[in-house]
Amino acid sequence: MSKATENNAPVLPEGVTPEMVKAWKERYGENKIKLASLPMDDDGNQFKDVIVRVPDRKVMSEVEKWLDKSPEKAKEIMINACLLSHKDEVKADDGLFFGAVDAVTKLMPIRTAIVKNL
């Protein structure tokens, strides 16, 4: 898991600089950039920290377009669009890839409406 610094901010993954995070926040939105810890083994003893972004409407539209026809392509689209760091390493390992898919899926901004009879 990610360790925290003294001011309770998470430690950035190796190869990620504060400047990169600032640029991503400016591009995608202040609250849209997240740190995800992907399990590297089945026991959850080791984790790979990566930076992901919350999928927007455009990404979700592309993913949904392919979901029924080619679920593999839909997942690739999601990872290509939303995984911001360590993309090559994650895509090369099935466990990390599916962990990243799970992380981004959990970030989908889906809210449940309350519907009432009139």
Side-chain angles (χ1 to χ4, degrees), residues 35-42 46-52 75 78-79 82-83 85-86 89-107:
L35 174 69
S37 295
L38 310 179
M40 295 181 72
D41 59 22
D42 292 339
Q46 291 183 300
F47 291 85
K48 176 76 178 171
D49 288 344
V50 297
I51 306 295
V52 294
K75 290 174 184 142
M78 186 185 313
I79 293 306
C82 296
L83 183 63
S85 73
H86 305 88
E89 185 178 349
V90 169
K91 289 173 73 172
D93 180 277
D94 287 345
L96 289 174
F97 179 83
F98 288 117
V101 169
D102 178 61
V104 174
T105 301
K106 288 179 180 175
L107 292 175

Side-chain angles (χ1 to χ4, degrees), residues 66-84:
W66 290 98
L67 209 50
D68 290 335
K69 298 176 202 168
S70 177
E72 181 181 348
K73 184 169 182 171
K75 290 174 184 142
E76 288 282 343
I77 290 168
M78 186 185 313
I79 293 306
N80 285 332
C82 296
L83 183 63
L84 301 177

Side-chain angles (χ1 to χ4, degrees), residues 17-73:
T17 65
E19 292 77 22
M20 294 166 76
V21 173
K22 183 180 177 189
W24 288 326
K25 285 183 176 186
E26 288 174 2
R27 180 173 180 183
Y28 299 114
E30 187 69 30
N31 296 322
K32 304 289 184 184
I33 304 303
K34 308 292 182 181
L35 174 69
S37 295
L38 310 179
M40 295 181 72
D41 59 22
D42 292 339
D43 297 326
N45 293 325
Q46 291 183 300
F47 291 85
K48 176 76 178 171
D49 288 344
V50 297
I51 306 295
V52 294
R53 75 175 179 107
V54 176
D56 57 16
R57 290 183 206 180
K58 185 176 179 182
V59 171
M60 290 309 304
S61 177
E62 285 298 312
V63 168
E64 290 169 353
K65 197 184 306 183
W66 290 98
L67 209 50
D68 290 335
K69 298 176 202 168
S70 177
E72 181 181 348
K73 184 169 182 171

